[in-house]
Amino acid sequence: MNKETKKKLLAPFPKEVVQDPPKGKFGKFVNHAVYIERLRDCDVDYEWEFEPIIINDKVIGAKGRLTVEGKVYEGAGDVEGPALARATLGECLKLAESDAFKRSCMRFGLGVELWSGTDDFYADDNKQQPIQKTGKVKDQVIEKEDEALKKAKENFAKDIMQPAEPKITQKILQEMVFISCNEDKNFANKCWKTSMEMTKLKAKVTGDVATWKESTIKTFLDNVETFVTNYADEYKEREGNTDTINNIIDVLDAKVSDKKEEEVGEVKEGPWMQEQPSEKQLKPFNDCVNKAIDNGDDELAAKAKSALADGSINKGNIFDWVDTETWSLKDGS
């Protein structure tokens, strides 16, 4: 920084921006924004970062770190008692940051005249007198506050640090699946659900993608690749089908036992046939019922609804009510 810029930067603030302290306080002050304007107008290269100090869920202060032209200046700000009692957490955070910023500026000379002659705790250590402990209640309170502040600093990272950014988000992962599935919405939806379930089983994780490790993400993408390789041709043949038809195909596929050999035979009958229809089975069934109503066949639609309500329709016979050639409702009783 050249001498001319430094002189302009560290010049005392004009009297018109210096304000008197509130009633009951001492020490003139200048608003936070004026400090920012001075740095801006002097074209100074600076960086600012701060860490709030929280005790009992209240922001009581902040530690600031101001880097000006490559040199670091630190300062601590606080929140006064009245503000702690009435201000919100966000307001206290702003007050603490503002105070820390101005004190950091003071460390390299900007606004230092506002502190001149005051009993500021930034005075050199050898000029400060240590607190004489008398054993009175007041001194015990001071000791407890010091211990609490020390503990808050030690636990700062654990208590208030923001969680690490996730390695990947669900939205990005879904976009990757969508692209891998040649932007086929139905194919991508099926691929996502299948790959997700396989990943949760293999890696023993939840479906919260933000918590996944890199190894889990790799496992998921491997599952996606396997699914796409195995079923891309099948889904390509489905192009042009309505959602209802593709849902029917999925339902029929779901009936096939995974214990069968590569050449799939007929689905074995069993107790599963008496179970209530699945959501995938109900969707095409309900579509056909609605279609019947639209076509004025209210009697058949009412009969189908009644059969479903009294349990006559189950997993084993629900498609007796669906004409798979016209995808319309028929009497399956």
Side-chain angles (χ1 to χ4, degrees):
M1 184 186 305
N2 60 49
K3 291 183 178 179
E4 184 178 346
T5 300
K6 186 174 182 180
K7 183 179 179 180
K8 181 180 178 182
L9 175 65
L10 302 184
F13 287 114
K15 291 182 179 180
E16 58 267 23
V17 301
V18 179
Q19 302 182 45
D20 291 326
K23 187 176 180 179
K25 303 294 181 182
F26 65 90
K28 295 180 180 294
F29 71 96
V30 173
N31 281 334
H32 184 183
V34 179
Y35 284 81
I36 299 294
E37 290 174 346
R38 175 66 65 86
L39 289 167
R40 179 201 63 192
D41 295 342
C42 292
D43 196 23
V44 174
D45 183 18
Y46 75 95
E47 293 181 0
W48 167 248
E49 54 184 318
F50 79 103
E51 299 174 347
I53 298 174
I54 298 178
I55 295 180
N56 296 330
D57 297 327
K58 290 186 177 181
V59 178
I60 66 165
K63 179 180 179 182
R65 181 183 177 89
L66 182 65
T67 304
V68 180
E69 301 291 341
K71 292 185 179 181
V72 177
Y73 304 89
E74 295 184 343
D78 66 351
V79 181
E80 296 179 349
L84 283 174
R86 60 177 170 74
T88 65
L89 186 64
E91 291 170 339
C92 288
L93 187 63
K94 292 176 184 178
L95 291 171
E97 181 187 8
S98 177
D99 197 30
F101 181 80
K102 289 190 283 188
R103 289 180 181 273
S104 297
C105 287
M106 182 271 292
R107 298 295 285 177
F108 72 84
L110 176 55
V112 68
E113 71 277 2
L114 299 171
W115 276 274
S116 298
T118 65
D119 186 19
D120 187 78
F121 64 81
Y122 275 109
D124 293 339
D125 291 340
N126 57 8
K127 294 182 181 179
Q128 292 182 343
Q129 297 298 320
I131 298 176
Q132 298 296 323
K133 302 295 175 64
T134 63
K136 295 181 179 179
V137 173
K138 180 179 179 181
D139 294 327
Q140 294 175 18
V141 172
I142 291 174
E143 287 181 346
K144 288 182 179 179
E145 288 181 346
D146 288 343
E147 291 174 3
L149 183 58
K150 181 179 179 181
K151 186 173 181 62
K153 290 180 178 179
E154 291 174 350
N155 296 332
F156 177 76
K158 180 179 67 176
D159 293 338
I160 63 174
M161 284 289 287
Q162 293 295 324
E165 290 291 327
K167 296 184 181 299
I168 196 167
T169 64
Q170 179 168 315
K171 182 178 179 181
I172 293 175
L173 207 56
Q174 287 175 331
E175 289 176 352
M176 293 171 67
V177 171
F178 186 60
I179 293 172
S180 297
C181 294
N182 199 28
E183 300 186 359
D184 182 325
K185 183 178 179 181
N186 290 328
F187 188 23
N189 185 49
K190 186 68 174 179
C191 179
W192 171 269
K193 291 180 179 179
T194 303
S195 300
M196 178 64 73
E197 291 304 316
M198 291 297 295
T199 301
K200 289 194 291 186
L201 288 173
K202 289 181 180 179
K204 294 181 173 57
V205 294
T206 67
D208 185 359
V209 175
T211 64
W212 286 3
K213 299 179 180 178
E214 289 184 3
S215 57
T216 307
I217 297 172
K218 184 179 183 303
T219 298
F220 176 83
L221 294 177
D222 287 343
N223 290 333
V224 170
E225 183 179 355
T226 300
F227 186 89
V228 172
T229 301
N230 291 339
Y231 296 103
D233 290 341
E234 176 184 337
Y235 273 81
K236 189 172 182 60
E237 293 176 357
R238 296 190 188 187
E239 289 182 358
N241 290 351
T242 64
D243 289 342
T244 300
I245 293 176
N246 285 327
N247 285 332
I248 293 292
I249 294 173
D250 286 337
V251 171
L252 295 176
D253 287 344
K255 289 185 178 181
V256 179
S257 172
D258 58 0
K259 295 182 180 180
K260 291 185 178 295
E261 299 180 7
E262 294 182 2
E263 292 297 325
V264 180
E266 295 181 357
V267 180
K268 292 182 180 180
E269 296 183 357
W272 65 269
M273 298 178 66
Q274 304 303 318
E275 295 175 1
Q276 292 184 345
S278 66
E279 290 185 7
K280 284 187 175 181
Q281 289 177 319
L282 286 172
K283 187 179 186 309
F285 172 82
N286 289 329
D287 287 343
C288 290
V289 171
N290 292 332
K291 185 177 179 181
I293 294 173
D294 292 339
N295 292 335
D297 200 349
D298 295 339
E299 185 177 347
L300 178 59
K303 187 174 183 180
K305 286 184 176 182
S306 177
L308 181 64
D310 65 21
S312 300
I313 295 179
N314 51 47
K315 283 185 176 180
N317 64 16
I318 187 170
F319 287 107
D320 292 343
W321 291 79
V322 177
D323 185 340
T324 55
E325 290 185 4
T326 61
W327 296 107
S328 59
L329 190 65
K330 65 178 183 179
D331 191 341
S333 58

